[in-house]
Amino acid sequence: MRLRGDAVTAPKLQVALYWGAACGGCDVAVLDTNEFILDVAAAADIRLWPIAVDGKYHDVEAMADGELDLTIFNGAVRNSENEHIAKLLRQKSKLMVAFGSCAHLGGIPGLANLASRDEIMEAAYLHNPSIEPGNTTIPHPETAFNGSPLTIPQFYKRVYKLDDVIDVDYYLPGCPPAADQVKAVLTAVVAGELPPKGSVVGASERAVCDDCERTKHEKKVKRFYRPWQIMADPDSCLLEQGILCAGPATRSGCGVRCPSSGIPCRGCYGPLPNVRDQGAKLLSAVVSIIDSKDPEEIEQIVDGLPDFTSFAYRFSLPSSLLQRSVRP
Ligand code: SF4
Ligand code: SF4
């Protein structure tokens, strides 16, 4: 189904795209749909898209509730501005889509939940090599300037996924979502052919491993490697060669982009259906391939897992059972 044909007869969709705590890759993923984006432009009025369209927050505030048909929200919620705009767009939108890993699960910004707010501020503003030595300035939400208060968004203690702060209708996973998935979902919105509310759309119910064409030999491993430490067999399962791959614990739908390019899956499509904690599922898969029954040797092999927490929860820490580390 093409969007352009629908645009002739149907009224234009009113659409907003927004980014919270994100890298910008999700916006690039929308542009990666190439000429399809012209079909979207023909079928929709884009009312807000900070990367491309000069809409202002007060334009959104002036809209009637529900005036937008669709908001595509990428990025996590890290500060009070992210939360405020998420709530505003929810109020103005009939459909809210959490687009990409950060909105869906917390994403890479969610790994900041392993550190406290103070540790992050000190690393960024006091001990960063690009900061002038001796600098003691840390941003504060409110500063007096010429007798008037100047405010910036409040930096929260932790990162939240989008549905921690607003009701979300659909989730489109991926870091970023694959262009074909983006097209399919936008086409479904235009055609009004959406699955039940709360669905993860544009993805599969299977694991990345189920779709991966690398051969599994049911081999166990004596040590783990970073990808650059080993010349991997190009046709065999990476995990069975000791390279951490999140394929067993990750929802498929991306076209097995990484393992088919020689890179292990990092888990960006999130947990499998009915799996509560992607990292715990991955831990269970990884320990099951350790080739030892000797506790001391197992400990040595596990010690060789490079930064396993960050690997296992790379995209999903704020949505995991752990959510964040707790500091005194
Ligand atoms: S663990 Fe990785 S490389 Fe192995 S089959 Fe699964 S997705 Fe493919
Ligand atoms: S293979 Fe894994 S990390 Fe790569 S795009 Fe697919 S789900 Fe994401």
Side-chain angles (χ1 to χ4, degrees), residues 43-259:
D45 286 331
I46 298 177
R47 305 282 296 275
L48 179 78
W49 190 8
I51 198 173
V53 177
D54 189 24
K56 302 284 190 247
Y57 291 166
H58 58 75
D59 297 329
V60 181
E61 283 158 0
M63 292 176 192
D65 290 357
E67 184 170 328
L68 292 169
D69 294 295
L70 168 70
T71 289
I72 295 172
F73 192 109
N74 76 74
V77 176
R78 168 85 262 187
N79 63 34
S80 54
E81 182 184 14
N82 301 152
E83 182 176 5
H84 170 66
I85 301 299
K87 287 181 170 165
L88 180 65
L89 286 167
R90 172 69 279 186
Q91 188 186 338
K92 307 296 180 184
S93 301
K94 294 186 187 78
L95 285 180
M96 173 64 69
V97 173
F99 185 98
S101 304
C102 300
H104 177 206
L105 303 165
I108 299 263
L111 280 178
N113 286 2
L114 293 172
S116 70
R117 177 172 55 189
D118 287 348
E119 287 167 336
I120 293 169
M121 284 291 170
E122 285 171 19
Y125 292 100
L126 302 186
H127 308 307
N128 185 324
S130 68
I131 295 285
E132 208 172 291
N135 176 68
T136 55
T137 306
I138 284 189
H140 293 283
E142 191 169 319
T143 308
F145 183 74
N146 284 347
S148 304
L150 277 183
T151 59
I152 57 171
Q154 189 190 346
F155 189 78
Y156 289 161
K157 282 186 179 165
R158 52 160 291 188
V159 173
Y160 298 90
K161 59 192 165 61
L162 187 59
D163 69 6
D164 286 330
V165 300
I166 57 166
D167 187 39
V168 169
D169 296 298
Y170 297 103
Y171 302 85
L172 185 56
C175 180
D180 284 350
Q181 253 74 32
V182 177
K183 283 187 204 172
V185 169
L186 287 175
T187 304
V189 170
V190 172
E193 292 169 355
L194 284 162
K197 179 181 160 83
S199 299
V200 174
V201 292
S204 152
E205 303 285 292
R206 294 152 56 88
V208 173
C209 279
D210 295 331
D211 294 337
C212 178
E213 290 183 351
R214 287 175 173 265
T215 311
K216 293 98 174 166
H217 303 281
E218 305 213 353
K219 269 175 62 183
K220 294 191 179 267
V221 300
K222 283 279 186 200
R223 66 163 286 191
F224 291 100
Y225 302 89
R226 292 197 176 233
W228 49 268
Q229 290 178 311
I230 182 174
M231 288 296 291
D233 179 302
D235 301 317
S236 300
C237 170
L238 294 165
L239 192 54
E240 289 183 359
Q241 298 179 69
I243 299 171
L244 281 183
C245 181
T250 303
R251 187 189 277 272
S252 188
C254 62
V256 197
R257 279 189 290 194
C258 302

